[in-house]
Amino acid sequence: IEQGHCAGEMSIFDSIPPSATVSAKENSKVLLIPSDIARAMISASHELSLNFLLILSQRIRNNNKIVCEEQYHIRRMEEYAKVDAMTGLHNRRWLEEMYTREMARSNKGNIMLTAFMLDIDHFKNVNDTYGHPIGDVVIKGIAGAISGEIRKEIDIVARYGGEEFVVGLVDTTPEGMIETAERIRHAVMKLEFDVHQQDPLRVTVSIGAFL
């Protein structure tokens, strides 16, 4: 604890053992005040009461700050654990949780949920021919193409793993899902990736629907 702070001050009122301990770094003289005497002193002196309240307020504010910071870092770690670092899309872990939740909501509210999986064709050849850095560029480019063709506010998109992506469309008929899948397929076909050769690299995708 820092200068001017108290250890275990709450135990004066609730008779619960103090939640803080103090270890002296050198020989020290410490004033020990029994709780009944401390309560009597607080009752007798307004100035002492205000000082005590100030100490308690500072301690509570400090504890709240620590709790808020810890909760913030916990939330950030949870977010990072569910986001694919390369593409910025959600990952398989997030997808499994969200899809289960959306399926339950769909069954309860009679809301149609359609989905399809997208796979980059011959992606191993891309890595083998041009190297993994170009493969990463291709994956990020396709992630961007998918994101550009869905409703970001309500639809589900995630990188399932490797060169696979999953798209879930909320309140969308099978016909609407096929239209969206076709738009994404054509958007991918328009992509061009510079591989430092005369012709840019183009890729295609295969899409399988869950009907």
Side-chain angles (χ1 to χ4, degrees):
I1 62 176
E2 300 191 8
Q3 183 178 4
H5 287 190
C6 292
E9 63 271 12
M10 295 299 295
S11 61
I12 292 176
F13 297 107
D14 54 24
S15 299
I16 295 175
S19 58
T21 59
V22 179
S23 299
K25 293 183 178 180
E26 57 188 22
N27 292 336
S28 306
K29 291 183 178 181
V30 181
L31 175 63
L32 300 179
I33 305 177
S35 60
D36 56 340
I37 296 178
R39 287 196 296 269
M41 293 171 60
I42 292 172
S43 299
S45 171
H46 293 300
E47 185 176 350
L48 187 59
S49 298
L50 290 175
N51 187 57
F52 194 82
L53 287 173
L54 177 61
I55 291 174
L56 290 180
S57 176
Q58 291 172 340
R59 176 69 66 87
I60 292 171
R61 287 182 183 275
N62 184 60
N63 289 347
N64 286 344
K65 180 180 178 182
I66 293 173
V67 170
C68 290
E69 290 176 350
E70 289 179 348
Q71 290 297 322
Y72 170 79
H73 290 301
I74 290 173
R75 286 195 300 270
R76 294 292 290 178
M77 287 191 298
E78 289 177 344
E79 290 173 4
Y80 288 139
K82 298 178 183 179
V83 173
D84 176 59
M86 181 189 299
T87 63
L89 298 178
H90 291 291
N91 60 19
R92 181 172 178 172
R93 176 184 172 187
W94 177 89
L95 174 68
E96 291 172 349
E97 294 179 3
M98 180 59 70
Y99 197 75
T100 300
R101 187 186 312 164
E102 288 297 324
M103 281 294 294
R105 193 166 72 95
S106 174
N107 293 334
K108 183 182 297 185
N110 197 27
I111 300 173
M112 184 168 291
L113 178 66
T114 53
F116 57 85
M117 177 170 281
L118 179 151
D119 187 271
I120 305 174
D121 297 327
H122 312 296
F123 184 69
K124 184 177 184 300
N125 292 340
V126 173
N127 281 334
D128 292 345
T129 304
Y130 304 105
H132 288 277
I134 294 297
D136 293 347
V137 171
V138 170
I139 288 176
K140 287 187 281 189
I142 291 178
I146 296 172
S147 298
E149 299 297 334
I150 64 169
R151 300 163 296 180
K152 297 180 178 62
E153 297 80 9
I154 61 174
D155 291 332
I156 300 169
V157 59
R159 184 184 178 195
Y160 193 74
E163 67 274 22
E164 298 175 325
F165 301 83
V166 171
V167 178
L169 305 176
V170 178
D171 199 18
T172 302
T173 63
E175 294 76 17
M177 177 201 63
I178 292 173
E179 290 181 10
T180 301
E182 279 295 297
R183 288 202 311 270
I184 291 175
R185 190 174 68 85
H186 285 288
V188 171
M189 290 175 63
K190 295 178 182 178
L191 296 175
E192 296 183 348
F193 302 97
D194 184 11
V195 290
H196 307 295
Q197 296 183 5
Q198 184 174 358
D199 295 323
L201 170 65
R202 293 183 175 87
V203 297
T204 58
V205 294
S206 296
I207 299 175
F210 305 117
L211 295 175

mmCIF file of all heavy atoms in Angstrom, residues 170-189:
data_model
loop_
_atom_site.group_PDB
_atom_site.id
_atom_site.type_symbol
_atom_site.label_atom_id
_atom_site.label_comp_id
_atom_site.label_asym_id
_atom_site.label_seq_id
_atom_site.Cartn_x
_atom_site.Cartn_y
_atom_site.Cartn_z
ATOM 1 N N VAL A 170 -28.775 -14.922 -42.799
ATOM 2 C CA VAL A 170 -29.931 -14.893 -41.913
ATOM 3 C C VAL A 170 -31.162 -14.413 -42.678
ATOM 4 O O VAL A 170 -31.091 -13.448 -43.445
ATOM 5 C CB VAL A 170 -29.658 -13.973 -40.707
ATOM 6 C CG1 VAL A 170 -30.882 -13.913 -39.797
ATOM 7 C CG2 VAL A 170 -28.435 -14.459 -39.934
ATOM 8 N N ASP A 171 -32.301 -15.102 -42.435
ATOM 9 C CA ASP A 171 -33.569 -14.729 -43.054
ATOM 10 C C ASP A 171 -33.434 -14.643 -44.576
ATOM 11 O O ASP A 171 -33.855 -13.667 -45.203
ATOM 12 C CB ASP A 171 -34.063 -13.397 -42.478
ATOM 13 C CG ASP A 171 -35.554 -13.184 -42.724
ATOM 14 O OD1 ASP A 171 -36.243 -14.181 -43.015
ATOM 15 O OD2 ASP A 171 -36.010 -12.030 -42.655
ATOM 16 N N THR A 172 -32.824 -15.687 -45.143
ATOM 17 C CA THR A 172 -32.590 -15.733 -46.586
ATOM 18 C C THR A 172 -33.042 -17.083 -47.129
ATOM 19 O O THR A 172 -32.705 -18.128 -46.569
ATOM 20 C CB THR A 172 -31.092 -15.525 -46.902
ATOM 21 O OG1 THR A 172 -30.664 -14.284 -46.371
ATOM 22 C CG2 THR A 172 -30.847 -15.533 -48.406
ATOM 23 N N THR A 173 -33.784 -17.067 -48.209
ATOM 24 C CA THR A 173 -34.268 -18.297 -48.828
ATOM 25 C C THR A 173 -33.118 -19.005 -49.542
ATOM 26 O O THR A 173 -32.080 -18.399 -49.819
ATOM 27 C CB THR A 173 -35.367 -17.985 -49.848
ATOM 28 O OG1 THR A 173 -34.797 -17.184 -50.902
ATOM 29 C CG2 THR A 173 -36.514 -17.231 -49.199
ATOM 30 N N PRO A 174 -33.296 -20.285 -49.866
ATOM 31 C CA PRO A 174 -32.265 -20.982 -50.642
ATOM 32 C C PRO A 174 -31.958 -20.274 -51.965
ATOM 33 O O PRO A 174 -30.796 -20.228 -52.402
ATOM 34 C CB PRO A 174 -32.878 -22.361 -50.870
ATOM 35 C CG PRO A 174 -33.763 -22.569 -49.686
ATOM 36 C CD PRO A 174 -34.340 -21.210 -49.403
ATOM 37 N N GLU A 175 -32.995 -19.721 -52.597
ATOM 38 C CA GLU A 175 -32.770 -18.998 -53.853
ATOM 39 C C GLU A 175 -31.911 -17.761 -53.623
ATOM 40 O O GLU A 175 -31.000 -17.462 -54.417
ATOM 41 C CB GLU A 175 -34.112 -18.591 -54.477
ATOM 42 C CG GLU A 175 -34.981 -19.745 -54.949
ATOM 43 C CD GLU A 175 -35.665 -20.482 -53.823
ATOM 44 O OE1 GLU A 175 -35.737 -19.920 -52.703
ATOM 45 O OE2 GLU A 175 -36.125 -21.610 -54.053
ATOM 46 N N GLY A 176 -32.184 -17.035 -52.534
ATOM 47 C CA GLY A 176 -31.382 -15.864 -52.211
ATOM 48 C C GLY A 176 -29.952 -16.238 -51.863
ATOM 49 O O GLY A 176 -29.000 -15.514 -52.188
ATOM 50 N N MET A 177 -29.803 -17.385 -51.210
ATOM 51 C CA MET A 177 -28.457 -17.850 -50.873
ATOM 52 C C MET A 177 -27.657 -18.156 -52.131
ATOM 53 O O MET A 177 -26.467 -17.796 -52.242
ATOM 54 C CB MET A 177 -28.547 -19.094 -50.005
ATOM 55 C CG MET A 177 -27.211 -19.706 -49.657
ATOM 56 S SD MET A 177 -27.338 -21.442 -49.162
ATOM 57 C CE MET A 177 -27.968 -22.166 -50.672
ATOM 58 N N ILE A 178 -28.309 -18.803 -53.104
ATOM 59 C CA ILE A 178 -27.616 -19.132 -54.358
ATOM 60 C C ILE A 178 -27.204 -17.861 -55.085
ATOM 61 O O ILE A 178 -26.099 -17.776 -55.648
ATOM 62 C CB ILE A 178 -28.526 -20.009 -55.243
ATOM 63 C CG1 ILE A 178 -28.709 -21.383 -54.579
ATOM 64 C CG2 ILE A 178 -27.941 -20.162 -56.640
ATOM 65 C CD1 ILE A 178 -29.714 -22.268 -55.278
ATOM 66 N N GLU A 179 -28.054 -16.839 -55.071
ATOM 67 C CA GLU A 179 -27.701 -15.565 -55.703
ATOM 68 C C GLU A 179 -26.469 -14.954 -55.046
ATOM 69 O O GLU A 179 -25.566 -14.463 -55.720
ATOM 70 C CB GLU A 179 -28.878 -14.597 -55.619
ATOM 71 C CG GLU A 179 -30.054 -14.959 -56.498
ATOM 72 C CD GLU A 179 -31.174 -13.944 -56.383
ATOM 73 O OE1 GLU A 179 -30.945 -12.874 -55.764
ATOM 74 O OE2 GLU A 179 -32.275 -14.215 -56.897
ATOM 75 N N THR A 180 -26.447 -14.982 -53.698
ATOM 76 C CA THR A 180 -25.301 -14.420 -52.977
ATOM 77 C C THR A 180 -24.039 -15.221 -53.282
ATOM 78 O O THR A 180 -22.959 -14.650 -53.516
ATOM 79 C CB THR A 180 -25.562 -14.422 -51.465
ATOM 80 O OG1 THR A 180 -26.735 -13.662 -51.184
ATOM 81 C CG2 THR A 180 -24.377 -13.828 -50.718
ATOM 82 N N ALA A 181 -24.154 -16.533 -53.296
ATOM 83 C CA ALA A 181 -22.994 -17.377 -53.592
ATOM 84 C C ALA A 181 -22.460 -17.090 -54.990
ATOM 85 O O ALA A 181 -21.240 -17.034 -55.203
ATOM 86 C CB ALA A 181 -23.371 -18.851 -53.447
ATOM 87 N N GLU A 182 -23.352 -16.899 -55.944
ATOM 88 C CA GLU A 182 -22.924 -16.597 -57.312
ATOM 89 C C GLU A 182 -22.237 -15.236 -57.389
ATOM 90 O O GLU A 182 -21.254 -15.067 -58.112
ATOM 91 C CB GLU A 182 -24.132 -16.648 -58.259
ATOM 92 C CG GLU A 182 -24.515 -18.048 -58.700
ATOM 93 C CD GLU A 182 -23.420 -18.674 -59.541
ATOM 94 O OE1 GLU A 182 -23.114 -18.163 -60.637
ATOM 95 O OE2 GLU A 182 -22.834 -19.683 -59.087
ATOM 96 N N ARG A 183 -22.760 -14.259 -56.665
ATOM 97 C CA ARG A 183 -22.117 -12.937 -56.657
ATOM 98 C C ARG A 183 -20.694 -13.052 -56.119
ATOM 99 O O ARG A 183 -19.766 -12.434 -56.648
ATOM 100 C CB ARG A 183 -22.928 -11.954 -55.807
ATOM 101 C CG ARG A 183 -24.231 -11.502 -56.424
ATOM 102 C CD ARG A 183 -24.678 -10.168 -55.818
ATOM 103 N NE ARG A 183 -24.631 -10.172 -54.365
ATOM 104 C CZ ARG A 183 -25.650 -10.547 -53.593
ATOM 105 N NH1 ARG A 183 -26.782 -10.975 -54.143
ATOM 106 N NH2 ARG A 183 -25.539 -10.498 -52.277
ATOM 107 N N ILE A 184 -20.541 -13.824 -55.029
ATOM 108 C CA ILE A 184 -19.212 -13.996 -54.449
ATOM 109 C C ILE A 184 -18.294 -14.712 -55.430
ATOM 110 O O ILE A 184 -17.128 -14.334 -55.611
ATOM 111 C CB ILE A 184 -19.311 -14.782 -53.121
ATOM 112 C CG1 ILE A 184 -20.009 -13.928 -52.061
ATOM 113 C CG2 ILE A 184 -17.928 -15.211 -52.647
ATOM 114 C CD1 ILE A 184 -20.266 -14.658 -50.759
ATOM 115 N N ARG A 185 -18.809 -15.739 -56.098
ATOM 116 C CA ARG A 185 -17.984 -16.487 -57.048
ATOM 117 C C ARG A 185 -17.496 -15.592 -58.178
ATOM 118 O O ARG A 185 -16.320 -15.634 -58.558
ATOM 119 C CB ARG A 185 -18.788 -17.659 -57.612
ATOM 120 C CG ARG A 185 -17.958 -18.639 -58.415
ATOM 121 C CD ARG A 185 -18.791 -19.844 -58.809
ATOM 122 N NE ARG A 185 -19.828 -19.497 -59.762
ATOM 123 C CZ ARG A 185 -19.633 -19.427 -61.094
ATOM 124 N NH1 ARG A 185 -18.439 -19.655 -61.601
ATOM 125 N NH2 ARG A 185 -20.643 -19.120 -61.889
ATOM 126 N N HIS A 186 -18.380 -14.758 -58.692
ATOM 127 C CA HIS A 186 -17.987 -13.838 -59.765
ATOM 128 C C HIS A 186 -17.032 -12.754 -59.256
ATOM 129 O O HIS A 186 -16.106 -12.341 -59.985
ATOM 130 C CB HIS A 186 -19.226 -13.206 -60.398
ATOM 131 C CG HIS A 186 -19.981 -14.128 -61.302
ATOM 132 N ND1 HIS A 186 -19.519 -14.518 -62.538
ATOM 133 C CD2 HIS A 186 -21.168 -14.773 -61.141
ATOM 134 C CE1 HIS A 186 -20.374 -15.341 -63.106
ATOM 135 N NE2 HIS A 186 -21.391 -15.518 -62.273
ATOM 136 N N ALA A 187 -17.255 -12.287 -58.032
ATOM 137 C CA ALA A 187 -16.356 -11.279 -57.456
ATOM 138 C C ALA A 187 -14.938 -11.829 -57.312
ATOM 139 O O ALA A 187 -13.949 -11.129 -57.557
ATOM 140 C CB ALA A 187 -16.883 -10.813 -56.098
ATOM 141 N N VAL A 188 -14.851 -13.112 -56.938
ATOM 142 C CA VAL A 188 -13.522 -13.738 -56.816
ATOM 143 C C VAL A 188 -12.872 -13.881 -58.174
ATOM 144 O O VAL A 188 -11.660 -13.661 -58.334
ATOM 145 C CB VAL A 188 -13.649 -15.113 -56.124
ATOM 146 C CG1 VAL A 188 -12.324 -15.865 -56.195
ATOM 147 C CG2 VAL A 188 -14.081 -14.942 -54.671
ATOM 148 N N MET A 189 -13.642 -14.236 -59.188
ATOM 149 C CA MET A 189 -13.095 -14.421 -60.528
ATOM 150 C C MET A 189 -12.525 -13.121 -61.093
ATOM 151 O O MET A 189 -11.636 -13.149 -61.956
ATOM 152 C CB MET A 189 -14.183 -14.958 -61.458
ATOM 153 C CG MET A 189 -14.596 -16.393 -61.169
ATOM 154 S SD MET A 189 -15.989 -16.961 -62.212
ATOM 155 C CE MET A 189 -15.239 -16.844 -63.839
#
